[in-house]
Amino acid sequence: MNASLENGGPLYKGTGDRVPDTPYEDRTWPAGPPWRTFAAPPTMPQPPDDEEADRRLGRPGAPRRPRREEVRLVNAALLLRRPLLVTGRPGVGKSGLAYRIARELRLGRVLHWAVTSRTTLASGLFEYDAIGRAQALQSPGEVPSGTADFVQLGPLGTGLLPYRLPRVLLIDEIDKCDIDLPNDLLTLFEDGYYEIPPLIRAKSQEPTAVVHTDDPGGKAEVREGVVRCHAFPVIVLTSNGEREFPEAFMRRCLRLDMPDPDAAALGELVAAHFGDTLGARQEKLVRDFLRRSDRVGALAADQLLNAAHLVTSGQYLPSATGDDADEWTDLLEAIWHPLGGEEAAPA
């Protein structure tokens, strides 16, 4: 797929090369289907940069050869304004895709919503500190704060603010959610807006309210208690494949199955974090990691990075012989422990 559109913005290549650093207000975005276009005018400033991306992905610009399926489905999700459901076993790098998209396309800080069995739609949209509001009203001698001072938008709620360009929203481990959450998300994804009841009740006194967002120190204006999006967010949902989702939910998502990384992909990952500091030792480390992973029934990629850091620290001698070699082997077995807690029986 081409890296850019004739009448739109850049598309995802997955190579690690970032799009040109055009000023935020001058950038364009590929057009979506008419039925996925939202009319709210953009009012939000440029989002903050994502310092988390480099920590998770390694140095910017490190070469990467993405799978064709990854590039194809990410761009389809961008063009169709649809969530991308990324499936695969734990540790294969599903959540990293959200950070690659945001960094390459310069979309700012990734909004991260970690899902648990207690997560509700409301918790992702906003929180209202009703007790704090009541206490503030009863405090003698203080000027009463407005309702908006006690409203904090969540990652999902922040992602639907009217930004000029879409925010990237990572909904992590969606398969841990309550049974109702996927259906609750459907209407929100289709309509692109939500209401904040405390602000609706106070709109006669506060028609325009300034609330806190999920970005550090971020604030946003909300008119008459309703948030409407301009650019639908780039939504990456991750799943370990532990449950089935409703048909209606799956129909509105694009699904990307992420396989275990091969030797080439693991080598790129190590190089992104450590450059060429491992030299010839990198290939052997990756080979030993894959051999161990096959034996114990799959390891996570970050377990390889742990071993690479020990090698580059200078505190251990992977090429040693005798007792030192045995110590290194024992250390690797401790680091590269099975994800399920028990080593697979030999075939």
Side-chain angles (χ1 to χ4, degrees):
M1 177 175 284
N2 292 331
S4 61
L5 296 180
E6 188 171 325
N7 295 313
L11 291 178
Y12 176 76
K13 295 184 295 183
T15 58
D17 298 324
R18 292 197 270 189
V19 300
D21 195 11
T22 306
Y24 185 78
E25 294 300 324
D26 295 336
R27 293 178 57 191
T28 58
W29 192 250
W35 57 91
R36 298 292 297 153
T37 300
F38 303 95
T43 60
M44 293 296 296
Q46 179 176 351
D49 292 332
D50 197 344
E51 299 176 356
E52 181 75 4
D54 291 353
R55 188 180 71 83
R56 286 176 173 260
L57 304 177
R59 58 189 173 90
R64 181 175 180 268
R65 290 168 291 179
R67 293 186 304 124
R68 291 176 62 87
E69 182 186 15
E70 174 190 313
V71 177
R72 184 169 60 245
L73 285 174
V74 167
N75 284 320
L78 296 181
L79 291 169
L80 294 173
R81 311 295 198 262
R82 290 296 182 186
L84 183 66
L85 178 63
V86 184
T87 60
R89 69 169 184 80
V92 298
K94 299 184 295 295
S95 61
L97 180 59
Y99 292 89
R100 286 197 293 273
I101 295 170
R103 187 163 76 175
E104 180 178 317
L105 298 181
R106 296 185 184 272
L107 296 176
R109 176 178 175 269
V110 172
L111 299 163
H112 185 189
W113 187 22
V115 173
T116 70
S117 60
R118 298 181 300 277
T119 298
T120 63
L121 180 66
S123 66
L125 291 174
F126 69 91
E127 292 183 355
Y128 175 55
D129 184 5
I131 295 176
R133 169 71 165 145
Q135 290 174 340
L137 290 173
Q138 294 172 4
S139 298
E142 292 188 12
V143 178
S145 301
T147 304
D149 290 337
F150 300 90
V151 174
Q152 169 81 51
L153 301 187
L156 178 58
T158 301
L160 289 169
L161 287 168
Y163 288 94
R164 175 180 176 80
L165 302 176
R167 295 294 300 267
V168 176
L169 170 64
L170 171 61
I171 304 180
D172 218 359
E173 299 195 348
I174 186 68
D175 40 8
K176 290 184 177 180
C177 71
D178 177 85
I179 191 171
D180 294 325
L181 184 59
N183 286 324
D184 291 341
L185 287 170
L186 287 181
T187 300
L188 186 73
F189 289 168
E190 290 302 305
D191 295 343
Y193 79 90
Y194 64 95
E195 298 178 345
I196 303 177
L199 297 184
I200 290 179
R201 291 192 294 268
K203 68 180 180 180
S204 59
Q205 293 82 30
E206 302 175 61
T208 299
V210 178
V211 302
H212 304 280
T213 73
D214 189 63
D215 291 317
K219 293 189 176 182
E221 284 190 357
V222 177
R223 297 183 181 276
E224 299 187 338
V226 180
V227 173
R228 300 181 187 276
C229 79
H230 171 75
F232 190 77
V234 178
I235 299 177
V236 176
L237 306 106
T238 69
S239 167
N240 296 330
E242 297 174 356
R243 63 178 291 180
E244 296 292 328
F245 296 106
E247 259 186 48
F249 180 79
M250 293 301 298
R251 191 170 67 248
R252 289 168 172 82
C253 295
L254 278 72
R255 179 170 176 171
L256 171 64
D257 294 316
M258 189 169 286
D260 290 358
D262 59 14
L266 290 172
E268 291 170 356
L269 176 66
V270 172
H273 285 273
F274 298 96
D276 59 359
T277 55
L278 274 84
R281 295 172 297 181
Q282 176 175 304
E283 184 177 348
K284 182 179 186 305
L285 191 65
V286 169
R287 187 168 61 248
D288 290 346
F289 175 81
L290 288 172
R291 188 180 300 117
R292 171 75 173 171
S293 183
D294 288 340
R295 192 168 85 239
V296 303
L299 297 173
D302 61 347
Q303 293 174 285
L304 172 62
L305 295 179
N306 289 336
H309 178 69
L310 293 181
V311 173
T312 59
S313 71
Q315 301 300 313
Y316 300 92
L317 300 172
S319 58
T321 57
D323 292 342
D324 288 340
D326 292 339
E327 287 183 7
W328 174 248
T329 300
D330 292 343
L331 181 60
L332 282 185
E333 290 191 358
I335 297 170
W336 293 346
H337 56 80
L339 296 178
E342 295 183 5
E343 186 164 335

